Amino acid sequence: MDDLLIIAVRGIGLGSIYALVGISFNVVFNASGILNFAQGNMLVLGGLFAFLVLPLAPDVTQWMIFLPLAAVALAALMAVQGGITLLPLRSSVEQHSWLITTLAASVIIGAVLLLYQGAVQQSVHSPFANFSLAGTRVPATYAASVLLALFWYVALRLFHTKLLVGLAISAIAQDMDAARAAGIRVRRLQIGAFAISGLVVGSAGFVAAPMMAIANDSGLAYVMNGFVAAVVGGLGSNLGALVGGALVGVVSMYAAFEYGGEFQNAVSLGLLVGVLMLRPQGLFGRPAARRV
Amino acid sequence: MSDTQLRLGIGLVVASILLPSLLGSAYWAHNFLIVNLFVTVAVAQNMLLADAGQVSFGHGAVFGMSAYLVGIISGLWGYDYAIGALAGVGGALALGLLFALPSLRVQGYYLGFVTLSAAVVFPEMLVAFNDITNGINGINRTVPSLTAPLFSGLSWLSFLVMALTVATLAGHAWLRTTSAGRKMRVAAVSPEAAMTLGLDPGRLRFLAFTIAALVTGLAGTLYVPVLGFVSPYAFRVDLSIYFFFCVIVGGQGQLLGPLIGAWILYLVPNALLADLANYRLLGYGIIALLIMLVFPDGVVGSIVSFSRRHRLRARIAGIGIDPVLSWAGIRPSQESGAAITVRGARKQFNSLAALGGVDLTVMAGSVHGLVGPNGSGKTTLLNVVSGFIPLTAGSVQVRDRDTTRMPAFRVARLGVGRTFQTPRVFEQMSIWENLEIGADVHSGNNNWLMEMLEPFRGEWSENNPDLLAHAQRRVLEILRTVASDADILLLDEPAAGLSAIERRDFARLIRFLRDRLGKTVLLVEHDLALVWKVADRITVLDAGRIVAEGPPDAIATDPRVRALFTGSPDA
Amino acid sequence: MLEVRGLHAGYGRVPVLHGIDLTVRPGEIVLVLGPNGAGKSTLLRSICGFIRPTQGSVRLDGDDVTGLAPEAITRRGMRLVLDGHRVFPELSVRDNIRLGAAFRGGRPDFEEMAAPALEMFPILREKLLSPARDLSGGQQQMLALAQAFVAQPKVLLCDEPSLGIAQALIPPILEFLRRWAARGTAVVIVEQQIDSALAVADRAVILERGEIRLSGAAEELKRDARVHAIYLGLDETEE
């Protein structure tokens, strides 16, 4: 029983990272139809930011100051990446160029990390003490990461329903042609969506850094699990990403506990294939709406 | 063009293996053996991506599976290398088919993500099952009988690698000339068009994955004697991405593309930054990104399109229907009775009833017009007959066979051909090949149409359909359907975009199809003038229901029909 | 106001329009009629930048806007209302309308800018906070028009406003368009049905196979038997 509780708590903690990556996926996907392979390495860069700016034993004030900076830094980087990714889509007939450009961006970031820090894993310390929940000790980072996922879920919901620019981005997702006819500058807002996605993933990397592997080759595993979370929940649905993330986290934590850490990703892959074969639209996804 | 690429490719492979050894550079001789194995895998990846349209990012895992089985069976367990190699190929095939499985359900980036994930997981599994794989320590396995020098540094292994790479390149070129290769490309570009020709896209995908896995597996078996060592590190996801980038950088679809891509991505970082292995990944990423932004067709693809643009091309005469219409024979319809029978067809899309109980009988050997305003359900009905859309209720019969629940490719095999609103013409193939796809699925031995068109073969084989005007594409698509020997033709708005003269020719072609070839034609068309002229019977649809049915004269004067088309109740 | 000269356009390789000329003055309603597949929607879409014309020019207020992106054309004051009453289904009626004026900058008062439309279509005011997907087809068409209205375009292009809409809702929609034009807006309406919009139009052109076959005052065309013949494909001048 205790084991299951630990698995559940740790799984949800881990899953919150996947949920955050999944949400950041959705932001870009909804606005542009692009799935950004580099999202995992962007997360790692958020973690690296924490590693670089936080002292070995950070205090809460320092942490609070640097958190928004990490988000903004990644937002700027992702806006640049978005601009580059959308560039070939402007004229070329090659609509799937983004498959390659985002994969290349991911490889480049990984390579830069390798050159910068070598093939090592960095770790970051959290300024918060562990606390206990239902008798188990829970690292504060887990709670912070879960709270961050909930924060972004609510914030994005408000953004997309209250702010005019958020409404415009939603409009692009709902009907691109009608949005253009309404005078909405699609390309600009798509780059904006990349930046917002950067805010999400940058803050996620910063907050979750103490439980992440900050290494040149860990990005792909995060992007993969984030994608699984998004697909399980239903691509495009942030609520789905939250639930999907928790599910993927708990299942892979269970696999790690039962069979060993090497099986975490294998189990996620199995989950992905299972969902795609049985219910490709995911838990909360709607079958593609017909446009007559 | 492809002949030049093939010859050049073979030349480069042979030279890259012979020259370094003859010049006495053991370092480059060794490196080029590896490069040629990578070229082999990249060629398979190119075929899978460009010919079969499958986005698979995980070929490093297939390659590694083969190499690791060789290592385990012949290295750890001590069996003969040949047995290990056999198992390696078998393992690669099994993994390749596992990759093919999701391709039946999902395509594009979904498939890319699944296969990429598999490539992430594969080395982790090598570590996880360390009691079988020897874990992170890897496996040593040299094969002295293959690597022993024969003369001037060359070994049996050199020739095996050379033979495999050359055979793969030549095999890819050959595949494209075969019927299976053409079918594969059609299914990749337009699965719907493939199904209307009676092809099963899922099976063709499996075929492509099988071929790719076989070739990749063979390359994997040679990887062990070349390196003498396998470790999980060698088969990380980077390797899969490298194979994919080779294809993109070289130019997807180009025969020589993967070779050039593999050379650039392997040799440039290796030659320039020999001491800085860590820069290699950065090199891959930047080269791939730049190529995509600047030369989206890849190196070879860009050279090809550049030389094409700067070569004065003789305008071809185009595809006329006159040679076809001049055919002297007559093949009257062998059948009588109903060719298509639709009973009580209902189709519900969510809350919208696209078809609300439609009955339709198309008599064999007749031209049957299907008209109605936008959104009246004409194309839905056509898709129902083709087998693309399952009915909510009701039944469809083709002659006396019930096809209500039949998949499209099986309906097509009953002799039901079809064209689309936008002609499905395949730009990557020559005009002749575009026709040949039809002949490929022809069941009989002698294809009179292809025989008749034989004089044009040379000219049409030289040219791609990108030269053709819209009306000619339309004709090409119909000729292809005729070449496939379908005797029921479903034509979806064929006259759209045709000029007045082209429409007149087109009307002649339709009459020819009926009167001389005995075809049954179901014609969905906006152009009422054309329908009045060529149809024997006309069915008028509105909002998913039949408004009127009868011969053209009766329909043209029917007040309900007039009201429907003009929107005036008093017309 | 709107001046189209020798416009050729098509989808990919399929040519649809063969040299269309069309001029619309402020305050005028021009109706574009034609049978199915005549190229009416293609005409509107190539005027508004969704399809890049292969030849010819589009001028708005004297400025050449040929080949500009649709959003740029909207921002210059020419607004297309797409066919099929397309709105943003998950957004509320109010947000749908707000988005119509989003590009105008500033913070226009919602009541002030939307009042004329909401007066004409009181049902929209009732459902101001409901998501647009809950509206009927006709109500969605009203919403699409209201969204275009708050953009205050100089030229309005409206693609089949009566398509898929209950007969009873067509008159108020046409009446709205008439009042709108009376404020000085140049209006182009594409319709499939001959009679529905002729009543409010000043002039009409009949398109057939991508060419203008007939044009004239709406009153005259109403009585012209050739219009019906074109629709029924019985007017064969070519053979």
Side-chain angles (χ1 to χ4, degrees):
Chain A
M1 191 58 214
D2 271 1
D3 286 350
L4 284 181
L5 189 67
I6 292 172
I7 288 169
V9 169
R10 303 218 156 203
I12 288 172
L14 181 70
S16 65
I17 302 183
Y18 302 154
L20 282 160
V21 175
I23 287 173
S24 74
F25 248 138
N26 285 338
V27 172
V28 170
F29 178 75
N30 282 337
S32 65
I34 288 172
L35 288 171
N36 185 11
F37 280 102
Q39 214 77 32
N41 270 333
M42 294 288 177
L43 178 85
V44 174
L45 285 183
L48 182 70
F49 187 92
F51 173 77
L52 291 178
V53 300
L54 292 180
L56 264 179
D59 62 45
V60 176
T61 327
Q62 288 165 327
W63 191 84
M64 296 290 270
I65 291 171
F66 285 115
L67 168 58
L69 288 181
V72 171
L74 264 292
L77 187 62
M78 274 201 63
V80 173
Q81 196 219 343
I84 292 172
T85 306
L86 293 165
L87 202 60
L89 298 175
R90 209 175 286 261
S91 54
S92 167
V93 288
E94 177 60 69
Q95 288 142 357
H96 284 303
S97 63
W98 59 262
L99 270 176
I100 295 138
T101 48
T102 63
L103 194 58
S106 173
V107 169
I108 290 172
I109 295 172
V112 170
L113 275 169
L114 179 67
L115 290 174
Y116 174 73
Q117 62 176 34
V120 294
Q121 282 193 10
Q122 312 285 14
S123 56
V124 175
H125 293 278
S126 167
F128 304 104
N130 296 346
F131 62 94
S132 77
L133 178 80
T136 61
R137 251 164 36 86
V138 182
T141 301
Y142 285 33
S145 179
V146 170
L147 284 178
L148 187 72
L150 294 173
F151 165 78
W152 277 121
Y153 171 72
V154 174
L156 284 171
R157 214 184 143 76
L158 290 175
F159 172 74
H160 282 296
T161 52
K162 297 284 178 256
L163 284 184
L164 208 49
V165 58
L167 287 170
I169 293 180
S170 310
I172 294 174
Q174 290 170 34
D175 192 332
M176 169 90 84
D177 277 355
R180 302 186 79 182
I184 293 170
R185 286 197 183 120
V186 171
R187 187 72 59 177
R188 243 183 239 200
L189 289 183
Q190 285 174 332
I191 292 177
F194 268 88
I196 294 167
S197 177
L199 288 178
V200 177
V201 89
S203 59
F206 184 91
V207 169
M211 59 169 158
M212 275 170 47
I214 301 164
N216 64 298
D217 59 355
S218 55
L220 274 175
Y222 287 118
V223 81
M224 169 189 151
N225 283 293
F227 179 71
V228 180
V231 169
V232 167
L235 208 52
S237 155
N238 284 347
L239 180 64
L242 278 184
V243 176
L247 195 68
V248 174
V250 171
V251 168
S252 66
M253 193 55 80
Y254 179 78
F257 180 81
E258 199 74 5
Y259 310 105
E262 303 89 340
F263 287 95
Q264 282 192 0
N265 290 329
V267 166
S268 299
L269 173 61
L271 200 61
L272 174 64
V273 172
V275 168
L276 287 180
M277 298 301 269
L278 300 175
R279 193 179 157 83
Q281 75 271 32
L283 296 176
F284 295 89
R286 277 174 300 223
R290 284 186 58 84
R291 205 167 272 160
V292 187
Chain B
M1 209 68 202
S2 67
D3 281 357
T4 320
Q5 289 195 25
L6 179 60
R7 274 197 295 270
L8 197 57
I10 292 175
L12 287 172
V13 170
V14 172
S16 71
I17 288 182
L18 293 184
L19 284 181
S21 292
L22 296 178
L23 297 174
S25 165
Y27 173 79
W28 285 111
H30 175 73
N31 266 302
F32 268 109
L33 285 186
I34 300 175
V35 169
N36 277 300
L37 288 181
F38 287 176
V39 168
T40 306
V41 180
V43 171
Q45 174 98 61
N46 189 28
M47 185 275 295
L48 196 56
L49 181 71
D51 292 31
Q54 300 305 298
V55 182
S56 166
F57 285 138
H59 257 59
V62 178
F63 185 66
M65 177 64 104
S66 166
Y68 245 93
L69 282 174
V70 173
I72 292 166
I73 291 171
S74 74
L76 294 179
W77 298 351
Y79 288 97
D80 202 49
Y81 168 74
I83 293 174
L86 215 57
V89 173
L93 278 174
L95 190 59
L97 290 180
L98 221 54
F99 278 13
L101 211 57
S103 82
L104 293 181
R105 197 68 204 250
V106 293
Q107 287 279 286
Y109 56 76
Y110 278 114
L111 186 62
F113 243 110
V114 173
T115 48
L116 184 73
S117 305
V120 170
V121 167
F122 176 73
E124 295 175 350
M125 291 301 98
L126 292 179
V127 177
F129 291 99
N130 60 359
D131 41 348
I132 304 173
T133 63
N134 212 20
I136 51 167
N137 299 320
I139 303 166
N140 282 302
R141 172 62 162 118
T142 53
V143 188
S145 57
L146 288 182
T147 51
L150 296 171
F151 55 91
S152 31
L154 291 163
S155 63
W156 279 117
L157 188 61
S158 318
F159 292 105
L160 275 177
V161 172
M162 189 195 296
L164 177 65
T165 315
V166 167
T168 306
L169 271 172
H172 189 195
W174 173 76
L175 178 71
R176 291 185 162 182
T177 66
T178 65
S179 151
R182 279 191 294 273
K183 289 173 181 171
M184 210 181 265
R185 281 192 281 169
V186 169
V189 177
S190 170
E192 311 87 62
M195 283 190 271
T196 59
L197 286 162
L199 307 176
D200 178 354
R203 262 176 66 176
L204 290 165
R205 281 176 206 152
F206 260 99
L207 177 68
F209 271 102
T210 309
I211 296 173
L214 177 70
V215 171
T216 308
L218 284 170
T221 60
L222 291 181
Y223 178 86
V224 180
V226 169
L227 266 287
F229 177 70
V230 286
S231 80
Y233 187 81
F235 304 110
R236 291 185 322 165
V237 64
D238 306 1
L239 185 67
S240 294
I241 295 175
Y242 167 77
F243 290 140
F244 189 75
F245 280 178
C246 287
V247 174
I248 299 304
V249 168
Q252 47 177 313
Q254 302 294 338
L255 221 44
L256 192 56
L259 184 141
I260 299 297
W263 280 34
I264 291 176
L265 288 181
Y266 191 88
L267 297 178
V268 170
N270 231 32
L272 297 182
L273 315 155
D275 312 327
L276 302 163
N278 283 355
Y279 278 100
R280 181 177 293 173
L281 263 178
L282 188 63
Y284 290 176
I286 289 176
I287 293 172
L289 187 64
L290 286 180
I291 287 282
M292 208 56 226
L293 294 178
V294 186
F295 304 109
D297 296 332
V299 175
V300 179
S302 295
I303 294 172
V304 168
S305 49
F306 182 81
S307 70
R308 217 186 245 171
R309 216 173 303 146
H310 290 259
R311 188 163 44 111
L312 271 181
R313 280 203 290 182
R315 287 294 294 194
I316 61 160
I319 300 179
I321 58 166
D322 290 339
V324 179
L325 295 188
S326 69
W327 185 59
I330 288 189
R331 304 186 344 148
S333 175
Q334 287 116 25
E335 301 171 64
S336 54
I340 302 169
T341 315
V342 179
R343 287 280 161 263
R346 303 180 60 82
K347 179 66 201 175
Q348 201 80 23
F349 290 117
N350 298 325
S351 60
L352 181 86
L355 295 177
V358 171
D359 293 319
L360 174 75
T361 306
V362 179
M363 300 306 286
S366 74
V367 174
H368 196 116
L370 191 56
V371 300
N374 270 337
S376 57
K378 306 181 298 284
T379 297
T380 306
L381 186 55
L382 205 65
N383 284 336
V384 162
V385 175
S386 313
F388 282 125
I389 300 182
L391 278 177
T392 314
S395 71
V396 185
Q397 265 191 341
V398 171
R399 290 183 220 94
D400 48 5
R401 288 284 297 274
D402 182 48
T403 63
T404 314
R405 300 264 159 247
M406 233 181 233
F409 69 91
R410 291 204 190 283
V411 177
R413 287 176 190 174
L414 298 174
V416 181
R418 113 159 236 189
T419 65
F420 295 85
Q421 286 183 15
T422 320
R424 295 292 199 271
V425 164
F426 307 105
E427 306 258 339
Q428 309 305 320
M429 303 179 170
S430 73
I431 295 171
W432 184 258
E433 282 176 317
N434 263 283
L435 271 177
E436 244 181 334
I437 309 156
D440 286 340
V441 300
H442 185 291
S443 47
N445 296 332
N446 63 332
N447 199 324
W448 67 271
L449 183 74
M450 299 305 275
E451 282 165 24
M452 273 216 30
L453 295 175
E454 190 62 34
F456 301 94
R457 182 181 193 138
E459 189 184 341
W460 292 3
S461 300
E462 300 273 299
N463 289 287
N464 281 20
D466 53 350
L467 286 170
L468 296 180
H470 168 67
Q472 298 183 320
R473 294 167 160 251
R474 177 63 74 203
V475 169
L476 177 58
E477 195 189 30
I478 293 181
L479 289 185
R480 174 166 71 215
T481 319
V482 173
S484 78
D485 210 28
D487 50 16
I488 300 173
L489 307 181
L490 314 177
L491 309 183
D492 194 0
E493 293 186 22
L498 300 192
S499 70
I501 298 167
E502 287 162 350
R503 285 173 59 247
R504 211 168 48 215
D505 280 350
F506 190 75
R508 283 168 63 207
L509 178 62
I510 291 187
R511 290 196 200 101
F512 174 83
L513 291 176
R514 174 190 59 196
D515 301 339
R516 304 283 291 283
L517 301 182
K519 307 280 185 202
T520 308
V521 177
L522 178 57
L523 176 68
V524 166
E525 185 52 65
H526 278 318
D527 190 334
L528 297 176
L530 180 78
V531 179
W532 303 144
K533 267 187 280 181
V534 301
D536 299 304
R537 278 190 88 75
I538 296 171
T539 298
V540 185
L541 274 181
D542 181 38
R545 288 174 186 282
I546 289 178
V547 175
E549 215 222 276
D553 312 343
I555 295 293
T557 52
D558 188 324
R560 286 172 304 172
V561 175
R562 305 195 75 145
L564 180 65
F565 282 104
T566 60
S568 328
D570 53 335
Chain C
M1 183 64 65
L2 170 64
E3 234 187 308
V4 178
R5 288 272 162 271
L7 200 70
H8 288 252
Y11 291 97
R13 283 165 189 279
V14 187
V16 180
L17 301 178
H18 311 282
I20 302 286
D21 295 312
L22 184 72
T23 308
V24 191
R25 286 182 292 273
E28 186 183 35
I29 299 185
V30 173
L31 182 61
V32 178
L33 290 170
N36 248 337
K40 304 183 297 293
S41 291
T42 310
L43 175 61
L44 292 196
R45 289 175 156 262
S46 38
I47 290 175
C48 280
F50 281 97
I51 299 171
R52 188 181 283 266
T54 48
Q55 269 181 58
S57 69
V58 179
R59 286 176 173 276
L60 174 64
D61 241 356
D63 296 337
D64 191 357
V65 297
T66 323
L68 290 185
E71 51 268 43
I73 289 180
T74 298
R75 283 162 181 263
R76 287 178 176 227
M78 180 151 65
R79 178 69 159 84
L80 170 66
V81 176
L82 293 158
D83 58 335
H85 37 86
R86 278 158 74 169
V87 291
F88 305 117
E90 304 304 319
L91 304 188
S92 72
V93 168
R94 186 187 152 89
D95 288 339
N96 264 283
I97 296 175
R98 277 173 74 200
L99 271 182
F103 69 85
R104 283 172 49 208
R107 289 198 158 267
D109 180 58
F110 179 80
E111 270 307 319
E112 202 174 298
M113 68 181 184
L118 295 180
E119 254 159 52
M120 195 66 215
F121 305 131
I123 182 76
L124 293 184
R125 189 184 286 285
E126 276 171 41
K127 300 202 170 182
L128 217 45
L129 299 178
S130 321
R133 75 177 121 79
D134 290 350
L135 304 183
S136 74
Q139 293 164 354
Q140 287 180 342
Q141 184 64 54
M142 293 169 180
L143 177 56
L145 286 173
Q147 186 192 60
F149 180 81
V150 297
Q152 299 178 351
K154 290 178 265 189
V155 178
L156 170 76
L157 305 158
C158 201
D159 198 355
E160 295 217 44
S162 71
L163 185 71
I165 284 172
Q167 285 294 324
L169 293 181
I170 295 175
I173 285 174
L174 290 174
E175 174 59 17
F176 180 63
L177 290 172
R178 196 190 61 78
R179 289 193 198 176
W180 193 345
R183 297 161 69 111
T185 307
V187 177
V188 180
I189 305 174
V190 153
E191 270 296 341
Q192 158 94 17
Q193 303 197 330
I194 296 175
D195 289 342
S196 57
L198 269 176
V200 294
D202 300 300
R203 287 191 295 127
V205 297
I206 317 287
L207 229 56
E208 189 192 25
R209 288 184 211 112
E211 291 170 39
I212 292 184
R213 287 289 307 278
L214 285 174
S215 66
E219 276 304 308
E220 291 165 27
L221 287 175
K222 224 172 182 174
R223 293 185 294 271
D224 195 329
R226 284 178 299 170
V227 177
H228 287 248
I230 290 172
Y231 265 68
L232 294 167
L234 298 172
D235 177 64
E236 282 299 278
T237 47
E238 71 207 46
E239 276 165 288

